[in-house]
Amino acid sequence: MSATLTTADNDIDRTTPVISVRPVTLTVPGRGHDLQVRVSAPARGRGLPVIVFSHGMTLTMDDYVPLSEFWASRGFVVIQPTHLDSLGLAPDDPRTPDIWRIRVQDLTHILDQLDRVEAAVPGLTGRIDHALVAAAGHSWGAQTASMLSGARVIEAGGAPGPSMADPRVKAALLLCLPGTGGPDLTPLAAQYFPFMNPDFTDLTTPSLVVAGEQDQSPLSVRGPDWFLDGYRISPGATDLLVLAGGEHGLGGIQGYNDTRSTDESPERVAIVQNATVAWLRTALGIDDSAWPSERKRVAATARHMARTESK
């Protein structure tokens, strides 16, 4: 893989001060609400890669600070939208059945208006490499990001729906990616979340799947291995990181001192932080040695807190 950047170009190997601006408001006709995003970027460096990050259900652009600040300090521009499911739409709102689709469109609109986003952050103009874009997400957000990478939703007739893949996305980080639907869903999930019926066949964008070894979802009748389906089935999901003892919060990636984390562990969060940066640096052609080196480091870590796998 040939690198398009050098380490000196974007200071990606150094911890740098982070600038965070919110809200940056994007006008999206037909959405009903303006799209608001948070942008976190390193204070220095050029040729910066972009991560568009989709939050989990009902969270917002202000969550996942342990990831967004870490990624930005390592040389990435992180853009986090607040999706419609965080706005408390009424069940009879005509947008409600399409919230999952609007989520994907939110990320696409961000990429369409990347110049506007760039201009909204003081000192960022001209420092982004628009050719280096990664999609990322956690839980429902991982399904959202996966659809920009080629995954589809199986519709009522049993066939995959239209592709929403975006060729601008060169890599994906899929954290706690929900698995296959149909008989694998609980009756509650099948009734209220029929879009949780993914087809991973065309997910061809290089992707890293991150899962918790003890992540037992109330939406699936299966165990934690449900969250490995995307890795097993998708041709693009080439790499896997599994956290020993990890649950759905992966140690607390949603926020510092976040009461939703049932498996709080700074060590697990640090593994996710470092592994995702290393994987992206290799996947985006910045540093071919970053991910292989990180895999060796994880394997050598005391207490064997995580394991990696590659196809």
Side-chain angles (χ1 to χ4, degrees):
M1 184 182 296
S2 61
T4 56
L5 298 176
T6 67
T7 301
D9 285 332
N10 62 2
D11 291 337
I12 202 167
D13 67 329
R14 290 156 43 185
T15 301
T16 65
V18 171
I19 299 171
S20 188
V21 176
R22 53 88 62 207
V24 175
T25 300
L26 305 178
T27 300
V28 179
R31 189 176 184 268
H33 289 80
D34 288 337
L35 176 59
Q36 293 195 332
V37 305
R38 183 187 191 102
V39 186
S40 301
R44 61 175 179 262
R46 304 186 67 82
L48 303 173
V50 173
I51 301 173
V52 287
F53 183 86
S54 178
H55 61 70
M57 182 179 294
T58 73
L59 278 74
T60 73
M61 62 182 170
D62 295 318
D63 292 296
Y64 299 97
V65 171
L67 292 182
S68 63
E69 287 194 348
F70 187 89
W71 290 338
S73 73
R74 266 62 180 181
F76 293 85
V77 176
V78 185
I79 307 172
Q80 300 170 261
T82 293
H83 296 300
L84 287 180
D85 51 280
S86 300
L87 304 182
L89 298 187
D92 60 351
D93 189 294
R95 294 169 293 177
T96 297
D98 286 326
I99 280 183
W100 66 272
R101 184 178 288 109
I102 297 171
R103 274 176 152 263
V104 184
Q105 293 169 347
D106 285 348
L107 301 188
T108 301
H109 287 308
I110 290 171
L111 297 182
D112 290 343
Q113 301 184 56
L114 195 52
D115 286 338
R116 179 178 175 83
V117 173
E118 186 175 4
V121 179
L124 187 58
T125 299
R127 296 170 54 216
I128 289 180
D129 188 333
H130 291 225
L132 292 181
V133 174
H138 174 241
S139 193
W140 190 5
Q143 180 179 10
T144 303
S146 76
M147 296 189 69
L148 281 190
S149 306
R152 305 190 197 191
V153 169
I154 298 175
E155 298 184 330
S163 174
M164 300 182 74
D166 194 313
R168 292 172 292 188
V169 174
K170 306 304 182 186
L173 298 173
L174 308 176
L175 313 179
C176 300
L177 173 66
T180 53
D184 290 339
L185 297 181
T186 62
L188 177 70
Q191 178 179 357
Y192 291 102
F193 308 112
F195 54 84
M196 295 188 67
N197 200 11
D199 179 357
F200 296 118
T201 306
D202 294 326
L203 199 168
T204 57
T205 300
S207 303
L208 170 67
V209 173
V210 181
E213 190 178 57
Q214 296 182 13
D215 188 356
Q216 179 62 59
S217 175
L219 301 178
S220 175
V221 298
R222 289 168 50 195
D225 74 309
W226 186 58
F227 290 98
L228 305 184
D229 286 350
Y231 173 70
R232 291 171 176 159
I233 299 171
S234 161
T238 55
D239 296 282
L240 174 69
L241 172 69
V242 179
L243 302 184
E247 299 179 12
H248 204 60
L250 300 177
I253 63 169
Q254 293 146 303
Y256 297 112
N257 302 313
D258 191 308
T259 57
R260 291 165 294 198
S261 297
T262 57
D263 63 334
E264 186 173 4
S265 167
E267 293 84 2
R268 290 194 189 101
V269 173
I271 290 170
V272 175
Q273 290 171 329
N274 287 293
T276 50
V277 165
W279 185 85
L280 278 178
R281 291 182 67 179
T282 294
L284 294 176
I286 298 165
D287 181 354
D288 289 350
S289 68
W291 178 236
S293 296
E294 181 65 13
R295 291 190 67 193
K296 291 178 181 178
R297 192 190 67 82
V298 169
T301 300
R303 296 191 290 153
H304 303 288
M305 293 191 66
R307 64 179 175 86
T308 64
E309 185 178 319
S310 292
K311 296 178 182 175

